[in-house]
Amino acid sequence: MSRLKPTRLFAVIGLATAQLRRSPGRTIFAVLAVALAVLSVTLFISLGIGVVEVGQESVQGTDRDVWISADPVDSSPGGTENGIVESHTVAADVHQHEDVRRAAPVAIHSTYVGTNPEELESVTTVGLPQTHGGFEFDEGEGFDADEDVVAELASPERDVSDPGAPSPTDDVEPTDVVIDPDLASALGVSVGETMYVAPSPNEDAARAYTVVGTADRYSQFVGEPTVVMRLHELQYLAGSRGADRASFITLDLESGADPEAVRDDVAADYPEYTVQTADEQFWSMLEDHALVVVSGAALVVLAIVGGIVLTANLFVLVAYQQREQLAALSAVGLSRPLLAGIVGFQGLVIALLGGLVAIAATGPIVHRLNSLAYAAVGFDGLLQTPLAVYAAGALVAVGVGTITALVAGWSASRYASVARMQA
């Protein structure tokens, strides 16, 4: 195949530019159509990347290096499996490892909360031995550990044969809770005020607690607005205090410790539990949400395929609308490759302009959608835009746009004849 001479190249560029100028409305419409196709790709990929990043940050944000959980783990929001028995005893034993700085059980239960015991709504409640660093309270502060109760729970002399036994004491006095800021706003409660928490919608079971702080630390982990209270108080409400049940035991390691080595040591001591590093814990949670992950991946693939199909269909229509002009150019002696080149260059210009519009609009639209997502589901940064997002958009706009334009131009040149021009 002979190389395209400069004079023919300039002719192709000139004729293509003239065609674009001849129909500015069609050109603007084509640019906007390409921009929408590219935006569908960048926004869906932003969502896919954001979901994975937010999920990973929610685990890493707890600042825990190793996780112990019962197998299987119910990691769904509001999960109440809490398969670890005698969690304080296990935590105290694991704490003896020289590389473990702190070991803490974490329970998760569904409870009912409200400012009026007669009007309670279901929320996920997290039980912790104490509020710790990194809570970043919007208002107020956290609560401290009740060391006496923790020591009693960890006592090896405690009878855990009866899960319903209210040991180590007959009752637990309600104290303090930390509540998600959005949930506090929805309930109309603030720091220093009283709210009610119950294990069921039954108002008679509701107990009064004082709100001491607002923070969304564990809302990010659970995936919905949460209430955080002392672990033994939550266990008492849920009826799991006798067996001292917890969902997780989290380990904070000494600086420089190898999480994988600690994981192996703890796993050898407790083969009945699943012991994982923070990264492994995140990926196991993703596996538990395989349907969501597959759905997200399918949306990304559909977005890319849809963007390609939309772009290809657009350039076929653009070429078809120019069939009379192409027939006239064919009649004066232009070859099919040159006719295809004219449509292809138009496609390149339209794709570049559409791609630039989409890439420029992606950031502001993502910012707006993140604000809406945060207000709706409580996750911040659910859509993220690393360079790969813009690269994918540019690939669709320029690469696929140019190729489909060339194919459309070649197809148009087949019916660009004098007979069709006269028809």
Side-chain angles (χ1 to χ4, degrees), residues 15 77 98 108 125 139 146 194 215 242 297 338 352 354 367 377 399 414:
L15 289 170
E98 60 180 357
I108 301 176
T125 299
E139 294 181 357
D146 188 336
T194 298
L338 288 179
L352 284 174
H367 177 73
V377 300
R414 297 181 60 186

Side-chain angles (χ1 to χ4, degrees), residues 400-412:
V400 178
T402 303
I403 293 173
T404 53
L406 286 171
V407 173
W410 183 263
S411 176

Side-chain angles (χ1 to χ4, degrees), residues 236-324:
Y236 181 84
L237 276 177
S240 64
R241 192 160 171 240
D244 187 16
R245 289 183 173 273
S247 298
F248 306 99
I249 294 176
T250 59
L251 310 185
D252 183 16
L253 304 186
E254 298 288 352
S255 178
D258 183 358
E260 294 182 356
V262 175
R263 174 202 61 191
D264 294 341
D265 291 345
V266 175
D269 293 337
Y270 292 94
E272 68 272 32
Y273 295 136
T274 300
V275 185
Q276 302 179 109
T277 63
D279 287 341
E280 292 168 340
Q281 178 66 27
F282 163 69
W283 287 111
S284 68
M285 291 172 67
L286 277 188
E287 290 175 0
D288 292 338
H289 294 78
L291 181 60
V292 176
V293 175
V294 171
S295 299
L299 285 176
V300 172
V301 173
L302 287 175
I304 295 175
V305 174
I308 293 173
V309 172
L310 285 174
T311 306
N313 185 62
L314 169 68
F315 286 127
V316 169
L317 291 176
V318 169
Y320 180 77
Q321 289 181 338
Q322 299 177 36
R323 61 191 183 281
E324 293 183 355

Side-chain angles (χ1 to χ4, degrees), residues 126-295:
V126 177
L128 304 174
Q130 63 185 112
T131 48
H132 48 78
F135 255 81
E136 298 178 355
F137 294 98
D138 285 14
E139 294 181 357
E141 56 187 11
F143 48 80
D144 297 325
D146 188 336
E147 300 295 347
D148 292 338
V149 173
V150 172
E152 286 187 82
L153 284 167
S155 171
E157 299 178 355
R158 188 166 56 87
D159 180 14
V160 298
S161 58
D162 180 7
S167 63
T169 59
D170 293 335
D171 199 355
V172 172
E173 290 295 330
T175 52
D176 312 323
V177 293
V178 174
I179 185 172
D180 179 88
D182 291 336
L183 180 59
S185 177
L187 294 176
V189 65
S190 57
V191 173
E193 296 183 343
T194 298
M195 64 177 288
Y196 295 86
V197 184
S200 70
N202 183 2
E203 61 181 282
D204 295 334
R207 298 161 66 88
Y209 289 81
T210 301
V211 177
V212 295
T214 60
D216 63 355
R217 180 61 179 267
Y218 279 85
S219 299
Q220 296 289 334
F221 173 70
V222 174
E224 60 182 44
T226 61
V227 172
V228 179
M229 64 169 56
R230 289 182 171 86
L231 175 59
H232 65 278
E233 294 177 0
L234 179 59
Q235 289 175 327
Y236 181 84
L237 276 177
S240 64
R241 192 160 171 240
D244 187 16
R245 289 183 173 273
S247 298
F248 306 99
I249 294 176
T250 59
L251 310 185
D252 183 16
L253 304 186
E254 298 288 352
S255 178
D258 183 358
E260 294 182 356
V262 175
R263 174 202 61 191
D264 294 341
D265 291 345
V266 175
D269 293 337
Y270 292 94
E272 68 272 32
Y273 295 136
T274 300
V275 185
Q276 302 179 109
T277 63
D279 287 341
E280 292 168 340
Q281 178 66 27
F282 163 69
W283 287 111
S284 68
M285 291 172 67
L286 277 188
E287 290 175 0
D288 292 338
H289 294 78
L291 181 60
V292 176
V293 175
V294 171
S295 299

Side-chain angles (χ1 to χ4, degrees), residues 52-77:
V52 173
E53 289 290 330
V54 168
Q56 195 163 23
E57 289 173 0
S58 69
V59 173
Q60 294 177 343
T62 58
D63 292 331
R64 297 297 181 263
D65 302 301
V66 176
W67 292 64
I68 303 173
S69 58
D71 188 21
V73 176
D74 178 8
S75 58
S76 62

